[in-house]
Amino acid sequence: MLALSLGNIIGLVALTMTVVALTRTSNKGLLATLGAAVSLWAIHYGLLGSVSGFAVHVVAAVSLFVAHLLQRSSKRVRATTGVLFSLMGVSVTAYFGTGLADVLAAVGCVIMTMTQFTGKGDTLRVGFMTGETVFFGFALILGSVPGMIVTAGNFLAGGVGLVRRHRAAQLAGATD
């Protein structure tokens, strides 16, 4: 059964990591945590037979770890690195891609990559929610149950994280 496959079990672990990361109040360590989750997404899509899904998620995982390391770099360095990783993701998708799902993966890759390198605060989370939503179509076409769940759930998780961030900021302002 598709839902009980090893690939989908690994996808469920990746789903949990992604949602938990996005519901946290702090963005500290967010990119590294998402990098670990995206590494599992790469394995998930590889086990489902999507070479392009595997490849684009490997590139995405590496880019998340690099974005984490470059957070304190200048905006120019971050944006340039984001463009380079976006081009890598699109190139990998174009090379291994075979259809509409891969076009969606390329678009999602660019949105997510540029968000992780240039987004801060709320923009970081909204960008992730937008990019993951594009990946819903990718997951749907490939039959990734965990992928469909996480992209839908990221609206909720991202919204919860945004509300929690704003409440924490209000509480911090009230105690000053």
Side-chain angles (χ1 to χ4, degrees), residues 104-129:
L104 294 175
V107 170
C109 176
V110 171
I111 293 168
M112 298 285 285
T113 302
M114 293 311 297
T115 295
Q116 71 200 27
F117 280 98
T118 61
K120 296 281 187 195
D122 292 349
T123 304
L124 182 67
R125 291 178 185 246
V126 171
F128 280 133
M129 290 164 51

Side-chain angles (χ1 to χ4, degrees), residues 66-79 81 117 120:
V66 170
H68 173 74
L69 295 172
L70 294 180
Q71 283 179 320
R72 298 191 190 276
S73 298
S74 71
K75 186 164 183 125
R76 174 183 254 178
V77 167
R78 293 190 329 268
T81 307
F117 280 98
K120 296 281 187 195

Side-chain angles (χ1 to χ4, degrees), residues 12 21 27 31 40 43 49 54 57 60 87 92 117 119 122 137 161 163:
L12 289 171
N27 279 351
L31 296 175
L40 292 177
I43 295 167
F54 171 77
H57 282 84
L87 290 172
V92 163
F117 280 98
D122 292 349
V163 168

Side-chain angles (χ1 to χ4, degrees), residues 41-108:
W41 283 115
I43 295 167
H44 165 75
Y45 285 113
L47 290 173
L48 289 183
S50 173
V51 175
S52 65
F54 171 77
V56 77
H57 282 84
V58 167
V59 171
V62 171
S63 74
L64 278 158
F65 291 123
V66 170
H68 173 74
L69 295 172
L70 294 180
Q71 283 179 320
R72 298 191 190 276
S73 298
S74 71
K75 186 164 183 125
R76 174 183 254 178
V77 167
R78 293 190 329 268
T80 301
T81 307
V83 168
L84 293 174
F85 272 106
S86 290
L87 290 172
M88 279 191 274
V90 169
S91 296
V92 163
T93 305
Y95 183 78
F96 291 111
T98 59
L100 176 60
D102 301 305
V103 172
L104 294 175
V107 170

